[in-house]
Amino acid sequence: MTQPEGFNSNIEWFVRDRFGLFIHWGLYAMPGRHEWVKSRERIPDEVYQKYFRHFDPDLFDPGAWARAARNAGMKYMVVTSKHHEGFCLWDSQLTDYKATNTPARRDLLRPLLDAFRAEGLKVGLYHSLIDWHHPDFPIDGLHPQRDDEAFREREQGRDIRRYTEYLHAQVRELLTGYGRIDYMWFDFSYAGRDWGWSKGKGREDWQSDKLEALVRQLQPHILLNDRLDLGRGIRTPEQYQPRRGRPGEFQLWEACQTMNGSWGYDRDNLDWKPVDLLVRMLIDSVSKGGNLLLNVGPTARGEFDPRSLDRLEGLGRWLRLHGRSIYGCGMSEFAPPDDCRYTQNGNRLYLHIFAWPFKSLHLDDLAGRVAYAQFLHDGSEIRLGPVEDGRVQAISLPVQRPDVTVPVVEIFLK
Ligand code: GLC
């Protein structure tokens, strides 16, 4: 595989680990109506302030979060230091709009990073480029007060340069005061948007070149995502599974996915994905050479709610037996049978069977290539059937589908 410019050897953990936890946690956990609630409902600062005044996550136990992630088979995490609402989970010296000034009265980020590191996970920060609280962030078509023309008029003097200084200084703070950060995840650029009276924001506004240089200077090993509008970085398709690229072509990407369509805690949302769909999404990502970053939106009390925990447990149950087909694996050059996905690690080819067939599967181009095959969940032999057309290897499956979320056949190639 040829590596594109701009990536160094630090990508190794990323392509090996494959499965991470995204955490969206901020004041928006309190309304519990999606992390964009301030913008969607056009809530002005004075009104949104009630959440700040009452934010008290008394059940917050970072060790419990980290253990839930590790038991789910996740190997890294990315947490929102600040989302678009502008609220800071850490004790920033550059703003009063932070957890330490709420009833929580403490830095919530530091113990979180420490807890995940202690469980052996890599840690990353999601940091919003957008800020709907900062007094110098120019009002645009996404801003909560976009429809308030008097406000817009009054706020015309906002200076993006002063905001950008704040943005860069906060990133410096995070990357100097919080130990080793493995992954910096900025969100997001929208330079192409145009509302007539305002335009979107992109690399000129964020001074993305300088910001990227700052990040690399402070933590040279760090990985960066692709949302700085610089045309590089780890690709981050969201709420979407990309199609399979060409075998051998280098890809560095991560599908970021929600459990229920919302990133922040969304109490009344019922669009929960079942465990088996999430397992298939993980497999699908790895079979196409990518990662899965799966989100949890913790509650305002500071917990993962039961619906999220249930899904994490289901993923962990499957991964305990099938981690071998995920970690260290990537896209195979072989084309899988219908309703199946291949992943591959060296001479081990993993056949994930999404829909259970009747007794046999036909594996293209594997005639003469299979040394041995077994179910992964119990190590029981899968017998080879006839070779067809000189190139197709059949395998014999039991009529009974094994009782695991997605059955996997581990094929040892010659
Ligand atoms: C987005 C959204 C958002 C979420 C995210 C995760 O673009 O603005 O709320 O944090 O990306 O991928």
Side-chain angles (χ1 to χ4, degrees):
M1 279 204 250
T2 36
Q3 250 176 251
E5 251 183 276
F7 294 115
N8 50 27
S9 58
N10 298 312
I11 63 170
E12 267 168 41
W13 70 262
F14 187 82
V15 295
R16 181 191 63 233
D17 287 355
R18 292 301 186 201
F19 188 29
L21 175 67
F22 216 174
I23 302 176
H24 279 67
W25 199 39
L27 297 180
Y28 44 81
M30 301 176 70
R33 301 193 292 275
H34 196 276
E35 75 287 352
W36 273 62
V37 62
K38 193 181 184 196
S39 171
R40 286 183 174 183
E41 300 181 14
R42 293 147 170 82
I43 307 175
D45 283 332
E46 318 81 84
V47 178
Y48 205 74
Q49 193 63 10
K50 66 185 164 195
Y51 304 126
F52 185 82
R53 267 189 233 112
H54 295 101
F55 185 60
D56 186 12
D58 59 327
L59 298 178
F60 177 48
D61 176 357
W65 293 16
R67 282 190 299 281
R70 199 201 57 193
N71 292 336
M74 290 157 158
K75 304 289 188 188
Y76 64 102
M77 72 88 124
V78 178
V79 62
T80 49
S81 41
K82 178 192 86 164
H83 202 264
H84 309 334
E85 65 177 2
F87 176 69
C88 300
L89 275 192
W90 81 103
D91 188 14
S92 174
Q93 299 310 296
L94 301 157
T95 182
D96 294 333
Y97 202 52
K98 56 182 175 181
T100 41
N101 290 336
T102 66
R105 298 180 63 85
R106 60 199 190 282
D107 185 322
L108 298 170
L109 184 62
R110 188 180 303 283
L112 203 51
L113 297 175
D114 287 345
F116 276 81
R117 289 186 190 113
E119 291 295 333
L121 281 82
K122 297 264 187 314
V123 297
L125 297 176
Y126 166 111
H127 197 76
S128 178
L129 300 163
I130 298 169
D131 194 314
W132 297 327
H133 180 267
H134 196 278
D136 269 306
F137 187 84
I139 316 297
D140 59 32
L142 300 182
H143 195 278
Q145 278 157 286
R146 59 188 171 278
D147 293 342
D148 181 344
E149 295 197 14
F151 178 81
R152 261 162 50 186
E153 194 59 35
R154 218 168 43 241
E155 298 294 322
Q156 285 215 344
R158 289 186 173 213
D159 180 354
I160 185 96
R161 290 289 157 253
R162 281 203 294 265
Y163 168 67
T164 304
E165 250 174 61
Y166 169 81
L167 171 66
H168 289 212
Q170 283 204 323
V171 168
R172 176 183 291 279
E173 204 173 52
L174 287 166
L175 294 184
T176 50
Y178 287 80
R180 182 185 169 104
I181 303 296
D182 302 287
Y183 190 6
M184 196 70 208
W185 216 103
F186 289 110
D187 190 38
F188 60 80
S189 299
Y190 50 117
R193 300 292 297 272
D194 188 346
W195 294 271
W197 60 273
S198 71
K199 290 202 183 346
K201 297 175 174 65
R203 60 166 176 260
E204 296 298 316
D205 305 283
W206 321 129
Q207 301 272 305
S208 293
D209 278 306
K210 273 175 65 186
L211 187 54
E212 184 194 55
L214 175 71
V215 169
R216 292 212 180 285
Q217 174 219 327
L218 295 175
Q219 302 230 15
H221 58 271
I222 211 162
L223 295 181
L224 270 161
N225 74 334
D226 64 346
R227 298 192 182 180
L228 280 170
D229 189 27
L230 290 170
R232 51 182 178 259
I234 294 172
R235 277 173 42 220
T236 54
E238 118 181 18
Q239 314 247 34
Y240 168 75
Q241 291 292 117
R243 66 179 181 80
R244 189 170 187 251
R246 281 189 298 279
E249 173 192 15
F250 182 82
Q251 319 217 356
L252 202 55
W253 62 272
E254 145 187 89
C256 3
Q257 301 287 6
T258 60
M259 290 189 183
N260 66 356
S262 175
W263 305 91
Y265 181 63
D266 197 350
R267 185 189 59 202
D268 301 334
N269 177 323
L270 295 177
D271 205 13
W272 288 87
K273 298 176 183 77
V275 168
D276 85 285
L277 177 56
L278 294 168
V279 168
R280 282 183 282 123
M281 287 161 70
L282 172 62
I283 294 164
D284 184 65
S285 298
V286 178
S287 79
K288 295 167 176 170
N291 289 16
L292 177 67
L293 184 64
L294 181 64
N295 182 74
V296 169
T299 70
R301 295 289 302 274
E303 290 197 313
F304 289 3
D305 76 310
R307 295 166 292 187
S308 306
L309 285 172
D310 171 67
R311 279 146 188 90
L312 292 180
E313 281 159 18
L315 281 151
R317 211 173 308 125
W318 184 80
L319 271 163
R320 188 180 73 81
L321 295 170
H322 300 93
R324 231 148 74 195
S325 75
I326 297 294
Y327 310 121
C329 293
M331 181 165 25
S332 172
E333 72 197 62
F334 295 106
D338 288 346
D339 301 322
C340 295
R341 298 286 185 283
Y342 277 141
T343 64
Q344 193 168 345
N345 185 357
N347 69 348
R348 301 214 192 174
L349 180 65
Y350 296 96
L351 172 66
H352 301 77
I353 307 171
F354 285 3
W356 196 245
F358 177 60
K359 293 229 290 218
S360 55
L361 277 174
H362 305 274
L363 311 180
D364 278 356
D365 302 320
L366 285 186
R369 299 289 310 271
V370 180
Y372 185 69
Q374 60 182 1
F375 272 138
L376 193 47
H377 68 280
D378 67 355
S380 64
E381 181 178 12
I382 295 295
R383 293 203 281 188
L384 301 186
V387 166
E388 295 161 15
D389 297 339
R391 101 192 151 79
V392 178
Q393 175 67 63
I395 56 170
S396 298
L397 297 168
V399 168
Q400 297 301 318
R401 180 190 183 281
D403 187 19
V404 292
T405 306
V406 174
V408 179
V409 177
E410 183 176 46
I411 299 168
F412 295 75
L413 298 173
K414 281 183 192 157

